Amino acid sequence: MKRLFALLILAFLLTACGGEGETTESAASEVTTEPVTEAATEKPKTEKLKTEKPKTEKPQTEAPETEGSATREQKAALKKAENYLDLMAFSDEGLREQLAFEDFPQDAIDYAMENIMVDWNEQARKKAEDYLQLDMGMSDQSLYDQLIFEGFSEEQVQYAMDNLPE
């Protein structure tokens, strides 16, 4: 159910942000065609919020592979990943899933994920703020659980929770 909810939000945000028509249609079709399974309706296990500040992950700073060695499809996957991150926050897992949904082959997805410049802690924080801006009245535990469900690591989620505005 939360996955369906997350996909509905994705479709809404892409539509509201004036994203590419292809992207909006893809997100909408995923929402309407994905069967709801028993696993999808199970609530993720909750964990107590940690009070200690985690070590923050540094953004990837290594230079990407030279573009000359990349295929056209690998470059396209990288560009699509950058475009998605310009529109909204994603976890590593969520972005990989979205690129797979766009029918990129695994080697192109791997190339994009290895060469994209992104701070996953900040992505978790931005995603948390997106939920709070929707004014859905989420408790801290519900927000924590939702971010875990979306594929952020516990450390990334804790960073987000520790860095939300009051």
Side-chain angles (χ1 to χ4, degrees), residues 55-149:
K55 296 177 186 175
T56 58
E57 294 176 9
K58 295 187 179 186
Q60 181 179 339
T61 56
E62 294 178 16
E65 287 183 25
T66 58
E67 286 195 25
S69 65
T71 65
R72 184 201 59 75
E73 201 161 36
Q74 289 171 330
K75 291 176 192 175
L78 177 58
K79 183 67 175 168
K80 183 62 94 171
E82 291 168 341
N83 289 342
Y84 274 121
L85 290 174
D86 285 343
L87 290 173
M88 64 188 314
F90 279 89
S91 66
D92 177 283
E93 179 183 323
L95 189 53
R96 285 178 185 277
E97 288 175 3
Q98 188 61 39
L99 292 173
F101 180 77
E102 297 282 344
D103 291 326
F104 284 104
Q106 191 60 50
D107 72 305
I109 295 170
D110 292 342
Y111 174 85
M113 299 307 292
E114 290 167 7
N115 290 282
I116 196 160
M117 303 295 280
V118 62
D119 180 343
W120 296 113
N121 284 336
E122 279 300 304
Q123 289 297 303
R125 186 192 59 75
K126 288 177 184 177
K127 181 59 87 174
E129 284 184 354
D130 289 346
Y131 278 111
L132 294 176
Q133 287 176 356
L134 292 173
D135 197 25
M136 298 171 54
M138 295 177 83
S139 68
D140 285 353
Q141 187 64 52
S142 293
L143 182 57
Y144 185 97
D145 292 343
Q146 182 63 32
L147 294 173
I148 291 290
F149 178 78

Side-chain angles (χ1 to χ4, degrees), residues 151-164:
F152 290 102
S153 71
E154 290 180 16
E155 293 80 16
Q156 292 163 350
V157 173
Q158 193 61 51
Y159 174 86
M161 301 301 292
D162 292 341
N163 290 283
L164 287 174

